[in-house]
Amino acid sequence: MISRHKSEQLFEKAKHLFPGGVNSPVRAFRSVDGAPLFIKKGDGAHIWDEDGNQFIDFCCSWGPLILGHNHPQIREKITETLQNGTSFGAPTVLENELGQLILDRNPFIDKIRFVSSGTEAVMSGVRLARGYTGKNKIVKFEGCYHGHLDALLVKAGSGLITLGTASSAGIPEGFTRETLVLPLNDETAVLKCIEEYGHDIACIIIEPIPANNGLLLQEKSYLEFLRKVCTENNILLFFDEVISGFRVAFSGAAELYGIRPDIVTYGKIIGGGLPVGAYGASDELMACISPLGDVYQAGTLSGNPVAMSAGIAQLNICAQDGFYEDQEKRTRFFVDKVNAFAKANEIAFEMVTIGSIFWLTFGKHDAIRKANEIDPSSMLDFKKMYGELLNHGIYIGPSGYEVGFISQAHTYEILELAADRFCEVLAQLK
Ligand SMILES: *Cc1c(COP(=O)(O)O)cnc(C)c1O
């Protein structure tokens, strides 16, 4: 067993400082055993905790670090920018540089606006959808996460189409009344919803690759169907690509599937490990945003030069030819190795994957495309596996509903070693 002595002590201290000892809930290790690891440093595919344990990291800060930890080019660019100060609240050339880098390669949006988090991007995008259409309701899907804005912290009630009920305390009913919640991968539910509420629906928001509640891969035909019914009913199609953007392809799932969203949000990878979010759309839609239009949206630290620098350094590498093909090839190598072992040993375990994302599933089942198809008891299997993975030097997000990420720093050599360790743990738990 790895020692977590120092992490335990630090966690005790943190509990006096922060609710639950953390500044974001899933970090508290509530779904698995023991104290959360306090991370001291990261380099490439590895992280080290305060007790000195080394891990191959598949959390990658929940996705942003697609080049791995402490990438020299990002570090250099940040350091260079830092010499001139950290923030001005006035335009800088770095915003132009990152904006141009993205828009030159993204055929789906004409303009972009930088904010400081994914939540902020989605919140602003929803306001834009309502401001542009003059309609009130938004449709979301059970199993998609869009950040912690009031209007989207909703869950479905019973029934096919349900008015959202808040999934958090502190959200007045009036704030969620305009949010409709549907099951994923269900065309009938969408059609019924539009029939009933279509005249007042501003947008349908979806993670085109839902990856915050397991990896609920949707069929391309379903996403195409959403595009079609949105167009036919004057509803905006909103792709929340905070996790899939710059991950499965430079321009995200929209590029991978060849489907044009009306509004798109980015976060995570876009900031190279610093806090950046963004939303983008056509010129016509973006003309609604202040100061051009009357949809208000602002931010003291928006477009922060240090954060822009990290994004520029990271995305310049992501934009290179073959980057995403290579990411996917290495991921396949890793996933195939573990899956083949599970199959050969008749272990009911499978990694589901797309691009450089993977998700651990337990038990025999068909493709899982809806939130309610996830067997809650599989989370017990995850919990058992988690402690053993840590003992074997593998770090992944501490919840069975979270996905894992592979970075450019995860070489074949490292992935081979990681796959062997996964297989050892699987064999041990069998
Ligand atoms: C992470 C995420 C968010 C929230 O982003 P934060 O930066 O954590 O606020 C929103 N939508 C999706 C799809 C995400 O993966």
Side-chain angles (χ1 to χ4, degrees):
M1 278 249 293
I2 57 161
S3 164
R4 288 194 220 180
H5 186 65
K6 282 195 179 155
S7 284
E8 280 159 7
Q9 281 182 337
L10 289 164
F11 191 47
E12 283 313 308
K13 177 147 198 199
K15 284 183 194 165
H16 295 289
L17 304 172
F18 318 115
V22 289
N23 288 299
S24 193
V26 73
R27 296 180 197 171
F29 269 46
R30 289 286 180 105
S31 311
V32 293
D33 291 321
L37 305 182
F38 277 62
I39 305 303
K40 189 169 187 173
K41 64 169 187 174
D43 195 59
H46 293 97
I47 51 172
W48 287 262
D49 68 10
E50 290 286 348
D51 287 282
N53 302 305
Q54 180 188 321
F55 302 92
I56 299 172
D57 179 26
F58 290 104
C59 179
C60 295
S61 190
W62 303 102
L65 307 184
I66 196 166
L67 304 180
H69 294 271
N70 203 9
H71 193 279
Q73 269 160 268
I74 298 180
R75 197 173 61 231
E76 270 160 37
K77 181 84 181 168
I78 293 175
T79 311
E80 182 193 309
T81 300
L82 276 175
Q83 310 312 312
N84 295 325
T86 55
S87 182
F88 310 106
T92 66
V93 68
L94 295 161
E95 292 159 78
N96 286 8
E97 210 178 309
L98 186 56
Q100 193 79 58
L101 173 59
I102 295 168
L103 292 178
D104 275 353
R105 292 166 179 77
N106 189 319
F108 306 107
I109 57 175
D110 297 323
K111 286 204 172 58
I112 193 164
R113 170 67 66 85
F114 292 120
V115 295
S116 300
S117 72
T119 297
E120 204 187 339
V122 173
M123 183 183 79
S124 309
V126 167
R127 188 178 303 134
L128 170 59
R130 286 171 164 158
Y132 175 78
T133 60
K135 299 195 268 186
N136 296 305
K137 291 196 174 0
I138 53 182
V139 173
K140 86 166 286 269
F141 298 92
E142 185 81 353
C144 287
Y145 176 68
H146 302 292
H148 64 94
L149 55 153
D150 286 341
L152 288 170
L153 277 187
V154 294
K155 57 181 181 224
S158 54
L160 196 57
I161 305 164
T162 55
L163 299 174
T165 49
S167 60
S168 160
I171 300 175
E173 201 193 303
F175 286 32
T176 57
R177 198 164 40 214
E178 307 292 2
T179 309
L180 302 155
V181 187
L182 305 182
L184 282 162
N185 191 41
D186 186 336
E187 298 191 1
T188 311
V190 174
L191 292 174
K192 279 212 162 126
C193 179
I194 289 176
E195 197 181 299
E196 196 163 337
Y197 300 103
H199 60 283
D200 198 28
I201 298 173
C203 67
I204 294 181
I205 182 168
I206 188 168
E207 282 181 81
I209 297 176
N212 280 285
N213 186 79
L215 184 59
L216 306 174
L217 295 177
Q218 301 299 292
E219 280 155 303
K220 182 181 175 189
S221 59
Y222 177 70
L223 297 170
E224 285 169 342
F225 159 81
L226 291 181
R227 173 66 278 175
K228 184 167 148 278
V229 293
C230 279
T231 305
E232 285 168 1
N233 293 279
N234 288 317
I235 295 168
L236 298 175
L237 179 61
F238 187 148
F239 275 4
D240 179 1
E241 299 231 42
V242 169
I243 212 163
S244 52
F246 310 101
R247 169 58 64 181
V248 296
F250 194 86
S251 300
E255 179 180 332
L256 187 76
Y257 294 124
I259 298 173
R260 171 182 295 274
D262 298 302
I263 299 178
V264 62
T265 44
Y266 301 114
K268 299 197 167 97
I269 292 173
I270 199 174
L274 272 77
V276 181
Y279 63 102
S282 65
D283 275 326
E284 187 188 346
L285 263 84
M286 293 302 271
C288 297
I289 302 294
S290 55
L292 280 184
D294 52 11
V295 175
Y296 188 72
Q297 185 270 311
T300 302
L301 293 174
S302 289
N304 173 270
V306 184
M308 292 291 107
S309 299
I312 291 165
Q314 174 145 287
L315 296 193
N316 262 316
I317 295 174
C318 293
Q320 289 169 3
D321 273 353
F323 178 85
Y324 289 98
E325 289 79 0
D326 185 54
Q327 280 285 110
E328 185 171 345
K329 253 168 75 184
R330 277 179 290 105
T331 304
R332 277 270 162 212
F333 166 79
F334 168 70
V335 167
D336 287 350
K337 220 165 141 50
V338 179
N339 283 346
F341 178 86
K343 199 167 178 198
N345 291 278
E346 295 178 351
I347 301 168
F349 171 89
E350 194 183 354
M351 284 188 183
V352 178
T353 181
I354 188 168
S356 50
I357 306 173
F358 65 90
W359 178 45
L360 315 186
T361 69
F362 302 83
K364 289 234 173 299
H365 47 69
D366 297 328
I368 303 178
R369 303 197 194 278
K370 288 187 174 74
N372 68 3
E373 291 167 359
I374 301 174
D375 176 5
S377 75
S378 67
M379 295 303 147
L380 291 172
D381 295 312
F382 177 83
K383 190 173 176 170
K384 272 188 228 153
M385 191 167 183
Y386 194 81
E388 279 313 310
L389 285 173
L390 288 182
N391 288 337
H392 283 74
I394 303 281
Y395 186 87
I396 55 176
S399 158
Y401 290 98
E402 302 290 350
V403 296
F405 299 97
I406 282 167
S407 79
Q408 193 188 38
H410 289 78
T411 60
Y412 284 104
E413 239 178 301
I414 292 171
L415 289 171
E416 174 135 45
L417 179 66
D420 287 345
R421 291 178 181 177
F422 258 94
C423 296
E424 267 173 49
V425 170
L426 285 172
Q428 203 174 320
L429 294 175
K430 193 188 168 184

